[in-house]
Amino acid sequence: MAGQLVLVVGPSGAGKDSVLNAARERFRGNRNVVFPRRFVTRLSQAAAEDHVSLTEMEFAIAVADEAFALWWRAHGNFYGIGRSIEGDLAAGAAVAVNCSREAIGEAIERFASVKVVEITAPVDVLVSRIVNRGRESAEQARERVSRRVADYPAGIVVTRIINDGALDRAVGEFCAILEDAIAHKGRGPFDGKDQEKDRDDDGRGLIIVEHL
């Protein structure tokens, strides 16, 4: 049975890369969980995501050659996921990708089993984290997190992690999601049967299942 594509979305400052990096370490050596490198039209930086840098021309050529399983544009850059994930999914692996909301619809059309995980935090926490990066003022950061984002496809089930406390808590919740993806292959994004129950959000990192 095919594996599951786990799309990780959320606002700037939510800690998506931190959660993904920690989860990658926890699953190191486990072939059932794959964290593919993204192809991005920006230079690699030691403190940032480990990605493959492409020029916009190189990226356009790759799109024309159908080299990506999924690609999108966000924040002035192009992002792509190589087609190697198709083999990983066919082998039954869970594939975790830092993604844009705008790419969810296409992912659902292209892949049989997709799960959406939103990592987020209260606005003040997001603003503080962005400012601490040293590239934006508090006003710019607040403007960034206040921008309207694309709606989720109608009827999709979103699993939300509130990452406003200890990183280990959010990482543990996310790793549990990946373990569930391995154990229950072949589920689609509109299938709510895999959730035992909805849980109230106490703001401390619980997973909340929302039928949006």
Side-chain angles (χ1 to χ4, degrees), residues 91-208:
V95 177
V97 174
N98 186 345
C99 188
S100 167
R101 286 195 189 201
E102 296 186 5
I104 293 174
E106 181 179 355
I108 291 171
E109 291 181 2
R110 297 194 63 178
F111 300 99
S113 182
V114 178
K115 189 175 190 68
V116 179
V117 178
E118 180 185 292
I119 298 177
T120 189
V123 171
D124 288 345
V125 174
L126 298 176
V127 170
S128 176
R129 289 174 179 168
I130 294 171
V131 170
N132 288 338
R133 296 172 182 171
R135 299 193 297 266
E136 298 177 61
S137 67
E139 182 179 350
Q140 290 171 323
R142 193 166 293 276
E143 180 182 354
R144 174 191 282 268
V145 301
S146 298
R147 292 173 185 166
R148 188 183 184 283
V149 295
D151 293 331
Y152 288 113
I156 197 169
V157 176
V158 179
T159 301
R160 178 173 293 158
I161 297 174
I162 308 298
N163 180 29
D164 65 346
L167 178 62
D168 283 350
R169 180 182 293 109
V171 173
E173 298 286 2
F174 183 62
C175 287
I177 291 170
L178 295 179
E179 289 168 353
D180 182 73
I182 297 170
H184 304 92
K185 301 172 184 176
R187 289 175 176 167
F190 301 100
D191 182 5
K193 295 179 182 179
D194 61 331
Q195 308 296 345
E196 294 180 359
K197 60 180 179 179
D198 290 359
R199 288 185 281 178
D200 293 334
D201 174 18
D202 68 353
R204 304 306 306 169
L206 292 177
I207 298 174
I208 300 115

Side-chain angles (χ1 to χ4, degrees), residues 46-69:
E49 170 193 2
D50 177 21
H51 64 270
V52 180
S53 294
L54 297 178
T55 65
E56 290 197 4
M57 178 63 73
E58 290 170 334
F59 196 95
I61 292 172
V63 170
D65 289 342
E66 299 184 348
F68 299 131

Side-chain angles (χ1 to χ4, degrees), residues 16-30 33-38 49-50 96-98 171 174-175 178:
K16 298 185 297 296
D17 284 332
S18 295
V19 172
L20 281 164
N21 289 338
R24 182 182 294 109
E25 287 302 312
R26 291 198 186 186
F27 285 101
R28 185 173 295 278
N30 187 337
V33 184
V34 178
F35 299 86
R37 293 175 74 195
R38 299 193 298 182
E49 170 193 2
D50 177 21
V97 174
N98 186 345
V171 173
F174 183 62
C175 287
L178 295 179

